[in-house]
Amino acid sequence: MATPEVTTTAAPNSTALQGEVSSVVPDNTETKPAAEAPAEAAAEPSAPTETTPATAETPVVAEKAGDVDVPVEKKLTPIEELWALAKAHDHPEIWGVTLEDPATHIPTQVILQKYLNAYDGDLTKSKDTLTKTLDWRAKMKPVELVKKKFNRNKFAGLGYTTVYGDADPAADPESREVFTWNIYGSVKKLDETFGNLPEFIEWRVALMEDALQALGIDKATKPITATYDPYKILQVHDYKSISFLRQSPVVKAASTETIKVFAQNYPELLKEKFFVNVPAFMGFIYTFMKLFVAAKTIKKFHPMSNGANLAREMVTSSKVKGLGDMLPAEYGGKGEDLSTTGRQPALEDDEAAAQ
């Protein structure tokens, strides 16, 4: 089976679906005062001259220095600076949301605030990650991957999206929980599932983008802050019946690449991550993860040897009443199996894929 993906941003704190141990392991600038008007101007003002009106792109405020108006540029807020960066980029979309002016478009405000939150407000780092995300999405086209069909023999049963509580993406985000599940025991042949690295990354991104659609950021009506953000996903990685992870180079390669991709492109989307049915020998995973994941993100990781204890963890991990009972029975709940309630990336048989 596979290992966890650590979606963290190597840099962001509390990063993206940060903590993606995929398959396996897995200014001080000195502000100078406006120039003073020459002494002659105060004693003998010159004839009035026409001034160019301020544009929306360059807002100015007139300040007086003697009898002379001195234009002073308006300082942009961090959100406005990120928006200016995004607006200048050729790619207009992140996480299924077409970016618009955050002053009037709450979904865009939510996304840009997440980039700030990932770095505790550090604007320089937020800009860098946002730029890389836009570049990556322009090349990868993740939204289109949700419609792509993947090989059934390679990926069937490996990943699911579930929604518990109010399934309407337009409802209060605190009234539902979105989960992604990676069931590594379902992998039949390691080399087939993880050997084609670009294909595996596409499949994993498709699962994530499907969960983002269920999360409903595009329908957000309330801004988030550094401390209030209900637009996050719960992840479960199930390692039941796994015995191969340390030995497989293809699994390690898939895990490493997934960690990097998710850390860079999905910041502040992980709520909690549960590693269930974890074999004792897999302690090496956490050593591996610490190389990529911010310390406060590591705190969101919860290993447990018995998957049936997962339902109890939901008491403190969610505001959705009775969430534990909604989980599948094998995870301590009273709900139906993932094969019945979960949604997988689209699958097709080998014959169809070959055509």
Side-chain angles (χ1 to χ4, degrees):
M1 270 332 351
T3 43
E5 304 148 345
V6 168
T7 58
T8 23
T9 45
N13 290 326
S14 182
T15 114
L17 252 188
Q18 301 166 328
E20 184 66 29
V21 169
S22 133
S23 35
V24 268
V25 220
D27 58 358
N28 265 354
T29 27
E30 181 179 350
T31 304
K32 297 183 179 181
E36 294 184 5
E40 296 81 14
E44 190 174 339
S46 58
T49 58
E50 290 187 4
T51 57
T52 303
T55 64
E57 290 75 19
T58 312
V60 298
V61 183
E63 289 190 355
K64 286 285 186 181
D67 289 335
V68 179
D69 289 341
V70 181
V72 178
E73 289 191 13
K74 174 189 173 185
K75 183 174 177 61
L76 298 178
T77 66
I79 289 291
E80 288 171 335
E81 290 206 34
L82 290 179
W83 165 235
L85 183 157
K87 185 168 59 171
H89 199 282
D90 292 336
H91 186 75
E93 170 274 337
I94 292 181
W95 307 341
V97 175
T98 300
L99 302 179
E100 302 176 23
D101 187 347
T104 56
H105 192 243
I106 299 301
T108 297
Q109 191 276 351
V110 168
I111 290 171
L112 299 181
Q113 185 65 51
K114 280 181 177 286
Y115 279 81
L116 287 171
N117 290 350
Y119 297 94
D120 293 331
D122 187 314
L123 184 57
T124 299
K125 292 180 180 179
S126 301
K127 283 183 173 181
D128 179 65
T129 299
L130 178 61
T131 299
K132 290 176 180 176
T133 295
L134 289 166
D135 291 344
W136 178 80
R137 294 188 74 86
K139 180 180 179 180
M140 191 74 168
K141 297 179 174 54
V143 174
E144 295 182 14
L145 291 178
V146 177
K147 304 172 185 177
K148 180 175 179 176
K149 293 182 179 180
F150 295 89
N151 189 299
R152 188 181 306 278
N153 285 340
K154 296 180 181 181
F155 300 107
L158 179 56
Y160 297 91
T161 299
T162 58
V163 182
Y164 299 107
D166 194 332
D168 183 0
D172 178 358
E174 293 188 280
S175 69
R176 68 182 179 281
E177 292 290 359
V178 177
F179 281 69
T180 58
W181 306 74
N182 285 93
I183 314 301
Y184 295 115
S186 67
V187 175
K188 299 178 179 66
K189 296 181 180 179
L190 291 183
D191 289 341
E192 289 189 4
T193 299
F194 301 107
N196 185 333
L197 185 55
E199 181 184 36
F200 174 79
I201 294 298
E202 286 188 349
W203 172 86
R204 186 61 188 86
V205 167
L207 180 67
M208 181 62 181
E209 293 289 327
D210 180 69
L212 282 168
Q213 290 184 7
L215 202 58
I217 293 177
D218 61 322
K219 298 174 177 60
T221 58
K222 181 179 179 180
I224 65 171
T225 68
T227 56
Y228 169 78
D229 182 2
Y231 293 100
K232 295 187 178 184
I233 296 170
L234 287 159
Q235 291 186 339
V236 179
H237 285 197
D238 190 343
Y239 293 91
K240 187 176 182 179
S241 303
I242 286 184
S243 60
F244 58 76
L245 297 182
R246 278 186 299 186
Q247 293 78 24
S248 173
V250 295
V251 171
K252 287 188 177 181
S255 175
T256 300
E257 183 63 17
T258 303
I259 291 168
K260 292 178 180 178
V261 167
F262 276 66
Q264 185 67 70
N265 301 297
Y266 297 101
E268 286 298 301
L269 286 169
L270 176 68
K271 183 174 183 179
E272 303 283 344
K273 190 178 192 77
F274 299 93
F275 301 92
V276 303
N277 299 315
V278 177
F281 75 82
M282 286 183 62
F284 78 99
I285 288 180
Y286 298 97
T287 300
F288 178 84
M289 287 191 296
K290 288 176 183 178
L291 299 176
F292 299 91
V293 184
K296 78 176 187 180
T297 299
I298 289 288
K299 294 179 181 178
K300 297 181 178 183
F301 294 172
H302 311 287
M304 52 184 68
S305 59
N306 186 353
N309 294 330
L310 181 62
R312 290 206 304 258
E313 293 291 327
M314 296 302 104
V315 175
T316 57
S317 297
S318 176
K319 293 184 178 180
V320 176
K321 186 176 181 180
L323 176 61
D325 287 343
M326 301 178 194
L327 300 187
E330 65 178 303
Y331 298 105
K334 300 177 182 178
E336 297 182 275
D337 292 343
L338 291 173
S339 59
T340 301
T341 61
R343 188 168 61 223
Q344 300 186 65
L347 301 170
E348 64 182 1
D349 296 328
D350 286 340
E351 297 76 18
Q355 294 176 359

